[in-house]
Amino acid sequence: MSDNAQRQSVDHQSRLNVYINNVKTKLNGFSTECKIHLLILANVAVFSLYHVFMESVDHDSDVTVAKQRVLGEGWWAMSRKKDIADFEWSFWFSEARFALISMLVSHTVVSLLCKRVLPEARDAILLAHDILWVYGLLGGSYIITMTLLCVAYFYVTQFNDEMYLWCLTVGLLLTTQITSIDKVLSHLGSNTYSVMAHSSFVFAIFRCSSFGLERCKPRTKADESSENTFSLFQLFRYNFYLPCYFFGPVMTFDCFVRKEETSSETPQRILMDVARIIGYVAAIDFLLHYFHISSLPLDAEFMRGAPSIVLGFLAFANVFLDWMKGRLLYTISGSIAKHVDEYDDAPKCCKNIATIYTFADTYFDRGIQHWICRYVYDPLGKGHEQLHKEALAGGVSFVVVVLLQGVGTQTLLWAFLNWFGLTFEFYLNQRFKKTQYKRVKMLFLGLNYWCILLFNCIGINGVNSFGWYFSKLFIQGGFVGILLTYLLGYSYVCVNMEVQEKQHKDIKKE
């Protein structure tokens, strides 16, 4: 072996040793109680993963209509079918994948070229480029509709009255819920991409209303001297900004008009983000071939016979997959907005679902969360100190979310339960904010964790699957089953609270 090869081998070994020592150091920093809870969770996860894997393998080649599995063609080289029950994942990362990659690469190239060659005309060229892409995907009728929407909002904004803007916004959102209008919106586009017409129209309403509401806010003299900030051209630039156009996140107008120069490391950062995104997509695609987590909740026979802890893991896996979709899509948009177009306030990815145990942290779309907090939740909550104001603010916020996602029994039930959870969580925080007993909080948060999973499963898997989850975890198992369910929730919260406390201590030391 050459000296160079020996040196590389030693370097790899030393890095491995450093990594192992870091893991040991972190584990040693946890209490014995936390380690016990971590061991319980690890054993349950391994058992559940094995059970779901074997169930997926057993039925991969023989899927009947009665089982209601939704599997499609997968990797022929490994003889595996792919779980395609999650429509959003299948659409964005299969059918629309080529168009999205081409669109975002084209925007990135044009933006970087204009920055170097024609910086003065960069905004106009990007606007023309982005409109052409939308025209190519959704057609001329859709462009005309978007143009009329922007013009309508621009002229209503001139009244400088928020009431007019809210009437227009709520009226348009209600209009999109009418079946006949919804069909028209969905067929404005052409071929495969018509499915994006409705969602992007609703996102456009949120963007245009943000433009108007920012215009109505009290402004400083410096703001008043720059009327171009609220020109019709700026509204078109904001609404047609391609990286955030079809799938978000919704960047509010105040974030859109603020820019900061990026460092010279931009190309490296872009490549790192691209590599990370490709890795995430490959990992999730691999899991959907070997763990049919989206299809299993549709199979009544499996849901009826599976152990309760497996169903609890399946609920977590489905919420985790939904979080991963958002993380990937918003990482793509956010990376381009930050590193290419210099929007330093581009919405960041949502908090890791594996660390969430409060309703206040469960928003998967940071852009929508910021929009709602800025224009609805915070103005109505007024300091978030009184229960009745908090209940009103949360209720109106979820009404807006329902109008965004579509009015239906499933959505309404999801919204009501999450609103109740958020409000009850606020009440408990007010009631026990002075308590020094951490375990008293964890007793409530252990149940809170299961409520977060099950309530969000309504929006992901439907009401029927929620019924199976709830029945298995809290009714059919009897006292022992309920105790085990509660213990897992308590263990989960215990581990996460100790991890977060340790992180806060480390930050204070630095």
Side-chain angles (χ1 to χ4, degrees), residues 391-402:
L392 175 64
V396 176
S397 297
F398 277 107
V399 168
V400 174
V401 175
V402 167

Side-chain angles (χ1 to χ4, degrees), residues 91-92 96 100 137-138 142 193-201 246:
F91 178 75
W92 290 119
L100 288 175
L137 291 177
L138 299 179
Y142 189 81
Y193 309 110
S194 61
V195 72
M196 297 190 293
H198 179 274
S199 59
S200 55
F201 181 79
F246 288 111

Side-chain angles (χ1 to χ4, degrees), residues 102-123:
S102 303
M103 174 184 75
L104 296 175
V105 169
S106 174
H107 177 93
T108 300
V109 171
V110 170
S111 181
L112 292 176
L113 281 176
C114 290
K115 182 180 178 181
R116 292 180 177 274
V117 181
L118 293 169
E120 297 84 5
R122 185 185 183 188
D123 291 344

